[in-house]
Amino acid sequence: MNFKGKELIIFDFDGTLINSIPDLTLAINSMLKQFDLTPLSIQQVTPFIGNGAKPLVKRALAEALKQNPERFIDFNQAFDIYLKAYQSITCKDTFLYDGVLETLEYLDQNAYKMVICTNKPFKFIEPILDTLNIKHFFKLWIGEDSLAEKKPNALPLVHLVNSMYSTIEKSIMVGDSKNDILAAKNAQMESIGVSYGYNYNENIADYQPTIVVDHFANLKSFF
């Protein structure tokens, strides 16, 4: 199988291009510290990532409050603290997955149009792209708050296809999460699942993407 007929590649961000777990965990624990709650480990936080910032904070709070089930914490206050904490360390320990840089260079040299569709808040995308020196590869990016709906809804993918003057048939979604694969299915688009990300501790193959790859560099053999 190959995807050489495609022209637009839509990438997820966290868990696909970048590993942001260290910084997300740091921001979560900074928020928990404000309420004198026990910090969570990276292993605990990882399955909470993927649906956007609010679900991440809700899940983390629920986990931290298991020791104090009667305690009430105002979610909006906690969420604001988390956002400020994450803004201050957005790309401190975040890093590109192995093989990402050379594969993006390969796809760029072969004239593929590349965009990002993430459930991360929009304002955090560009600082990470800048810090990791990969912004020039992408024509466009949208976050969870860019449109009325986010993944797994089809709207973000359809919006990107239309914005890039492409078609569903000539586009493909690449991601590590069921939200990516389900969004592609809802848009009737082909998809590539990467197995190394953080898909709620579930196997990405269970959601039946068109193909599954274990390493980002494997993409080069399909384009």
Side-chain angles (χ1 to χ4, degrees), residues 29-42:
N29 284 334
S30 180
M31 177 269 293
L32 294 176
K33 187 178 180 182
Q34 294 288 314
F35 299 105
D36 295 317
L37 291 168
T38 304
L40 301 178
S41 68
I42 278 179

Side-chain angles (χ1 to χ4, degrees), residues 142-151 153 155-156 159:
I142 57 172
E144 65 167 344
D145 46 350
S146 297
L147 302 169
E149 300 285 351
K150 62 184 178 182
K151 299 177 298 185
N153 193 284
L155 178 63
H159 170 83

Side-chain angles (χ1 to χ4, degrees), residues 15-208:
T16 300
L17 299 175
I18 61 169
N19 186 330
S20 55
I21 296 174
D23 290 332
L24 293 172
T25 303
L26 200 59
I28 285 291
N29 284 334
S30 180
M31 177 269 293
L32 294 176
K33 187 178 180 182
Q34 294 288 314
F35 299 105
D36 295 317
L37 291 168
T38 304
L40 301 178
S41 68
I42 278 179
Q43 289 73 24
Q44 286 174 298
V45 172
T46 299
F48 303 154
I49 301 166
N51 284 108
K54 284 187 176 178
L56 167 60
V57 174
K58 279 179 186 169
R59 291 164 183 156
L61 274 176
E63 182 68 24
L65 285 169
K66 281 182 180 177
Q67 312 301 323
N68 307 84
E70 295 83 24
R71 189 168 170 197
F72 172 77
I73 288 178
D74 182 79
F75 174 76
N76 290 329
Q77 182 188 4
F79 187 61
D80 285 344
I81 292 169
Y82 164 78
L83 286 179
K84 284 173 185 162
Y86 189 52
Q87 190 156 13
S88 70
I89 48 101
T90 303
C91 200
K92 178 177 172 287
D93 294 320
T94 293
F95 58 92
L96 292 174
Y97 282 106
D98 187 39
V100 167
L101 184 59
E102 53 265 42
T103 304
L104 291 178
E105 286 171 345
Y106 167 84
L107 295 169
D108 187 55
Q109 287 163 6
N110 283 275
Y112 288 98
K113 294 186 280 189
M114 295 184 282
V115 297
I116 291 172
C117 181
T118 174
N119 281 348
K120 182 187 235 37
F122 178 79
K123 69 178 180 180
F124 296 123
I125 304 169
E126 191 168 8
I128 296 174
L129 293 174
D130 279 330
T131 304
L132 298 177
N133 296 311
I134 57 170
K135 186 165 77 173
H136 58 286
F137 291 120
F138 301 101
K139 309 286 187 192
L140 193 62
W141 46 86
I142 57 172
E144 65 167 344
D145 46 350
S146 297
L147 302 169
E149 300 285 351
K150 62 184 178 182
K151 299 177 298 185
N153 193 284
L155 178 63
L157 273 60
V158 173
H159 170 83
L160 287 166
V161 168
N162 291 338
S163 297
M164 297 305 298
Y165 303 100
S166 188
T167 65
I168 294 291
E169 294 72 29
K170 290 185 177 179
S171 305
I172 191 163
M173 176 80 217
V174 181
D176 71 303
S177 162
K178 62 184 178 183
N179 294 318
D180 304 311
I181 308 310
L182 293 173
K185 287 185 184 235
N186 289 333
Q188 298 184 303
M189 182 185 295
E190 290 189 291
S191 63
I192 298 173
V194 301
S195 65
Y196 55 78
Y198 21 104
N199 182 36
Y200 313 98
N201 292 335
E202 296 179 319
N203 188 340
I204 194 68
D206 293 345
Y207 293 90
Q208 301 179 312

